Amino acid sequence: MSTLKINNLSKKFQTNDFYSLENVNLEINAGDIVGLVGRNGAGKSTLLKLIAKSYIPTSGTIEYNGNNIFNNDYILKDVGIMIEPVFYSYMTVKENLEFYLEVHGKQEFKKNIDDILELVDLSKKKNNKPENFSFGMKQRLSLAIVLVDEPDFLILDEPFVGLDPYGVQELLEILQSWVQERSISMIISSHQLSELESICNRFVMLEDGKMKDIQIEGERSLGQYFTGGKDNK
Amino acid sequence: MKTMFCPVFRTVYKKKEAKICLLFCALPLFLIVTSLLPTNFMQLSGDAGSMSCMEFFEAVIFVQFQLTLPSIAFMYLAITCIHDEINKGNLYLYKDIPRIKIFLCKSISLLAWYGIYLMSTFFTSVFTYYVYVIKQPYASGVFFPTRLGDVQYIIIGLLGTISTIIVSLLLVVVLSTFLNNGASLIIGILFTLFCSIAPNLETINVIFPTGFLYTYESIGFSKAILFVLLISVIYLCVIGAVGIYKIKRIEF
Ligand SMILES: Nc1ncnc2c1ncn2[C@@H]1O[C@H](COP(=O)(O)OP(=O)(O)OP(=O)(O)O)[C@@H](O)[C@H]1O
Ligand SMILES: [Mg+2]
């Protein structure tokens, strides 16, 4: 069963004379962990924001479980969206998670809060306000919010950016343990292929707004492409 | 909607900007403080035995409005709830809950906070009246004024001021979905300023909810009330229509 189906999706911003995304087709099936790679400005965030419905497409459609997401409300109810770390900085960690669950009418997941905070290593900060958190902690809080209602589909835009190698490893381990325990589909973007290798089972590449599907065997040459051959194993 | 209101309201009143708004409820208490100081600041006066408690409350609301600072504090709160949250991406937390519903919830939360502000001001006014004002020669010592004309004046005054603030708050909510903070605030302040001088304007006073304060007697009290409500509803409809158009097109 197809989970997410993107058909001929294009996006041109009014202020630009070029397409940030052009005729993109992509199908993400249940269980797919898709790595979305591409250079700065390739259109990764644009694509993910379209899926998250924060951008309106110029043309094309996105279907989630067979429903056009732009024609219906509450389609993304069970989708976790982390385009940038967001939360209310003047509310405590716990209040933020409670807010998210209540606003979506998902009180039944409140029992998950302690486990999720344990998973992202924020249990001790449960009653703190995230104002003065480090970047990594903010990132993990944001991830906790997204995971707390056990989404079926995850959208993560450059979740590793700004993290030190230890932070990247930590986040990867969180995601891996999450993926292992349940059937979930995911699309994660990054401009660093190496970060995605251990978690993704499929890669797609964007270049100047155009999609290039690549097989997992193509990884090596892709790595070469991104690092200019320097780091090529 | 009901399930959404509580969590959204929490995100509003927990802001420090919301607490700043409430500080202005303490305004009448200043009267007690300044009476102890040798200053003319905020000195009330009037005919002997003329001021009832409700008239004092109306005067407090009027002074708060003339000060414009409380209005600015509320408009600023609205901006942080709308524009800043769009900018920072907080809307991602709402996923694809219909946008209109999100903004309606936020607007109602802001209005609810204004309601709490009004109630708090009422309590500090009553407190000040019975602790301090009542001892002054101009106080009448009763709660409601005895003359019908005075009651009508209070109602027209309060209704005009409160409608103006509600309209200006929702105006800023809608403006801040597409304008930057400075522009939204300036337009909001200009609207409030026009409304505060409206009672003194001729002819065009009728397009402002506050404009009937001195003329209601000539057109009749109930007609004046109807006009105030009608004008406010017209403003709200126009603002709402622009809001619906703009909110659907927000990209963040
Ligand atoms: N809101 C916007 N308004 C105008 N142009 C935009 C907007 N967002 C993105 N663009 C343009 O669209 C193109 C793709 O941008 P996008 O942010 O999707 O790239 P990206 O792949 O996410 O890059 P990065 O790795 O730097 O995050 C860029 O040329 C960018 O300038
Ligand atoms: Mg990006």
Side-chain angles (χ1 to χ4, degrees), chain B:
Chain B
M1 196 75 178
K2 244 198 265 160
T3 54
M4 253 183 88
F5 175 75
C6 286
V8 173
F9 185 55
R10 259 186 278 140
T11 67
V12 173
Y13 79 74
K14 290 199 172 195
K15 281 180 193 280
K16 65 175 183 304
E17 287 82 0
K19 279 148 204 157
I20 291 172
C21 292
L22 278 200
L23 285 181
F24 293 99
C25 298
L27 187 78
L29 302 174
F30 271 94
L31 207 58
I32 304 179
V33 178
T34 53
S35 71
L36 305 170
L37 305 169
T39 164
N40 278 334
F41 176 66
M42 272 184 56
Q43 295 296 304
L44 285 176
S45 59
D47 297 341
S50 66
M51 189 180 269
S52 64
C53 185
M54 278 309 284
E55 280 166 294
F56 177 67
F57 173 59
E58 197 273 339
V60 168
I61 294 289
F62 191 69
V63 170
Q64 281 177 337
F65 182 56
Q66 294 285 328
L67 265 180
T68 41
L69 275 177
S71 311
I72 293 174
F74 267 97
M75 289 191 266
Y76 187 69
L77 175 65
I79 286 171
T80 61
C81 290
I82 307 293
H83 193 258
D84 289 357
E85 287 195 16
I86 296 173
N87 261 3
K88 283 198 223 133
N90 284 48
L91 286 187
Y92 286 119
L93 294 174
Y94 296 85
K95 298 201 268 198
D96 67 341
I97 293 172
R99 295 234 179 121
I100 303 291
K101 208 168 154 182
I102 302 171
F103 285 90
L104 207 57
C105 259
K106 284 176 179 285
S107 306
I108 295 171
S109 299
L110 285 165
L111 295 181
W113 193 243
Y114 176 61
I116 289 171
Y117 166 87
L118 275 181
M119 263 172 7
S120 312
T121 305
F122 179 74
F123 288 124
T124 53
S125 302
V126 171
F127 176 81
T128 308
Y129 187 83
Y130 285 105
V131 166
Y132 167 77
V133 178
I134 203 159
K135 295 183 194 133
Q136 309 304 313
Y138 53 80
S140 69
V142 294
F143 192 78
F144 287 109
T146 39
R147 270 192 53 227
L148 182 65
D150 293 339
V151 176
Q152 292 181 340
Y153 182 85
I154 293 173
I155 294 174
I156 290 280
L158 284 180
L159 191 67
T161 310
I162 294 170
S163 322
T164 301
I165 291 181
I166 291 175
V167 169
S168 66
L169 261 180
L170 295 177
L171 175 70
V172 171
V173 164
V174 168
L175 290 177
S176 69
T177 59
F178 61 97
L179 292 179
N180 66 38
N181 290 354
S184 311
L185 200 57
I186 286 171
I187 298 174
I189 292 172
L190 282 179
F191 176 78
T192 320
L193 282 180
F194 267 109
C195 287
S196 69
I197 57 164
N200 305 312
L201 301 174
E202 277 184 37
T203 333
I204 63 159
N205 66 337
V206 295
I207 64 164
F208 297 102
T210 43
F212 297 87
L213 199 56
Y214 305 137
T215 54
Y216 75 91
E217 277 168 323
S218 59
I219 58 167
F221 173 70
S222 41
K223 231 186 200 166
I225 293 278
L226 207 68
F227 273 132
V228 175
L229 292 177
L230 193 69
I231 289 160
S232 307
V233 168
I234 292 173
Y235 276 116
L236 293 181
C237 288
V238 174
I239 291 169
V242 175
I244 290 170
Y245 179 84
K246 287 289 183 187
I247 285 164
K248 278 191 187 148
R249 286 163 182 76
I250 295 173
E251 294 195 316
F252 56 93

Side-chain angles (χ1 to χ4, degrees), chain A residues 11 13 49 52-56 72-77 79 81 83-84 86-88 90-91 95 99-100 102-104 106 145 149, chain B residues 3-4 6-8 10-12 14-16 85 87-99 101 106 248-252:
Chain A
K11 176 71 184 173
F13 291 97
K49 286 180 177 187
K53 285 172 82 170
S54 71
Y55 282 165
I56 302 155
N72 299 283
D73 297 316
Y74 300 108
I75 296 281
L76 304 182
K77 180 159 85 9
V79 175
I81 301 165
I83 304 287
E84 45 199 292
V86 286
F87 42 78
Y88 287 97
Y90 51 89
M91 301 202 305
E95 285 169 344
F99 162 78
Y100 183 76
E102 282 176 36
V103 91
H104 292 288
K106 291 184 169 180
I145 293 175
D149 64 345
Chain B
T3 54
M4 253 183 88
C6 286
V8 173
R10 259 186 278 140
T11 67
V12 173
K14 290 199 172 195
K15 281 180 193 280
K16 65 175 183 304
E85 287 195 16
N87 261 3
K88 283 198 223 133
N90 284 48
L91 286 187
Y92 286 119
L93 294 174
Y94 296 85
K95 298 201 268 198
D96 67 341
I97 293 172
R99 295 234 179 121
K101 208 168 154 182
K106 284 176 179 285
K248 278 191 187 148
R249 286 163 182 76
I250 295 173
E251 294 195 316
F252 56 93

Side-chain angles (χ1 to χ4, degrees), chain A residues 39-46 48-49 83 157-158 189 191:
Chain A
R39 292 178 165 179
N40 290 131
K44 303 182 295 293
S45 299
T46 305
L48 297 182
K49 286 180 177 187
I83 304 287
D157 192 13
E158 310 227 25
S189 78
H191 49 249

